[in-house]
Amino acid sequence: MNLSVNLNKIALLRNSRGSNTPSLEAYANKAISLGVDGLTLHPRPDHRHATSNDALNISSLCKEKSLEFNLEGNPFSQPKNEFLGFYELCLQAKPDQITLVPDGEGQLTSDSGWEPGFQDSELKSFIAKVNELNCRTSLFINADIHSVEYASDMNFDRIEIYTGPFAQACLLDKNELQINCDKIKEVINRAQHLGLGVNAGHDLSLDNIQLLKECGLIDEVSIGHAIMTDSLKYGFDATIIKYINIIREK
Ligand code: PXP
């Protein structure tokens, strides 16, 4: 299982003062030198955290260091003010992986996977266009069989399982957790059968990664919020090392 670190929250902190502190590039370099497998950004049209320029800069840094850059976003986000629009960003950044998320403008964070059938024909033409860029495509989905089959029908290379409900269940009772783990196991098995890779993300933390690993083989986890909050406790370097260790532990 690989670790892609989502750096949005560093950008959020930087933007709160209008300067370049903390520097996204500095923390990207630190994470890279500590051994992460990839970096992720999810620029929103309002540029409240990562900006379009950040995506271009971090993408070229990743290319320079031979590391994967994962660009997340709503494929239908149009150019607005300084935001380039998601497709234009894909064209310019040439990410290694594009993860499509159905988030609306102003939404606090992604809180659901892609509903099968949502803007079907537009999604198909978007996939056809980005396939020409030779990057991996991944669809952010809820942990259900219908969604994984939809991702396969739409020719995605991977799915990213939305792990918000799983993380919530870890904090609740054992029954809820069992139900969520069973769903994730089923989705992983179906994805493998269909030849899709499996990513997972949202609300993952040092407290729940081990349980997630027990659900089956996952190619990559993308983690942002918990890494940044843990950094307040342990420091950035020690936190990244903790995550790498738990993720690589057999
Ligand atoms: N995956 C997707 C599609 C996301 O939108 C996010 C949040 O930007 C994450 C993973 C990371 O979630 P978290 O910040 O809770 O680790």
Side-chain angles (χ1 to χ4, degrees):
M1 182 155 102
N2 285 346
L3 169 64
S4 184
V5 175
N6 180 321
L7 294 169
N8 278 0
K9 290 282 155 72
I10 305 256
L12 185 73
L13 195 56
R14 174 200 62 194
N15 295 355
S16 70
R17 278 298 171 100
S19 64
N20 193 31
T21 306
S23 148
L24 205 58
E25 283 82 2
Y27 280 88
N29 271 315
K30 252 178 192 273
I32 294 170
S33 65
L34 290 164
V36 304
D37 304 290
L39 297 177
T40 291
L41 284 180
H42 187 159
R44 310 278 174 153
D46 59 8
H47 275 178
R48 63 182 183 267
H49 35 60
T51 65
S52 299
N53 259 343
D54 289 332
L56 301 181
N57 292 340
I58 298 301
S59 180
S60 48
L61 178 68
C62 284
K63 287 189 198 317
E64 204 182 292
K65 307 274 181 173
S66 305
L67 201 87
E68 282 213 357
F69 177 59
N70 174 41
L71 181 66
E72 296 176 347
N74 184 322
F76 311 128
S77 299
Q78 296 301 311
K80 190 173 174 184
N81 303 320
E82 307 281 296
F83 178 66
L84 290 176
F86 191 70
Y87 178 61
E88 186 59 29
L89 255 184
C90 294
L91 276 182
Q92 292 193 25
K94 296 189 182 61
D96 301 284
Q97 177 172 272
I98 295 174
T99 301
L100 300 186
V101 182
D103 55 353
E105 276 197 37
Q107 194 173 321
L108 205 55
T109 183
S110 317
D111 58 9
S112 176
W114 198 280
E115 273 310 315
F118 172 63
Q119 297 196 271
D120 232 5
S121 54
E122 293 90 339
L123 184 60
K124 256 189 204 139
S125 33
F126 185 88
I127 289 296
K129 282 195 297 183
V130 290
N131 273 343
E132 288 170 18
L133 305 177
N134 283 329
C135 52
R136 191 191 302 129
T137 53
S138 176
L139 186 67
F140 186 59
I141 63 163
N142 295 319
D144 64 60
I145 291 294
H146 189 33
S147 295
V148 72
E149 286 174 347
Y150 179 74
S152 168
D153 291 344
M154 298 296 277
N155 279 327
F156 279 87
D157 302 306
R158 286 193 187 179
I159 50 165
E160 180 181 327
I161 302 172
Y162 171 46
T163 47
F166 157 81
Q168 271 302 311
C170 289
L171 304 172
L172 298 171
D173 59 290
K174 279 198 175 146
N175 262 353
E176 264 310 296
L177 180 58
Q178 192 58 53
I179 293 168
N180 274 274
C181 288
D182 288 348
K183 280 189 197 168
I184 291 177
K185 281 179 199 165
E186 221 186 341
V187 163
I188 293 176
N189 286 338
R190 189 76 189 126
Q192 284 168 347
H193 180 77
L194 292 167
L196 290 168
V198 179
N199 296 343
H202 226 283
D203 298 316
L204 294 177
S205 70
L206 291 172
D207 298 329
N208 56 31
I209 290 173
Q210 187 52 43
L211 270 172
L212 182 69
K213 281 168 73 175
E214 288 165 20
C215 294
L217 276 183
I218 292 177
D219 293 291
E220 176 183 284
V221 284
S222 147
I223 308 182
H225 187 78
I227 288 186
M228 299 311 152
T229 54
D230 285 340
S231 294
L232 297 175
K233 270 191 276 182
Y234 308 118
F236 185 78
D237 294 17
T239 298
I240 294 287
I241 290 166
K242 277 179 192 284
Y243 276 82
I244 290 177
N245 288 344
I246 199 165
I247 280 165
R248 304 223 171 118
E249 212 169 68
K250 293 281 174 223

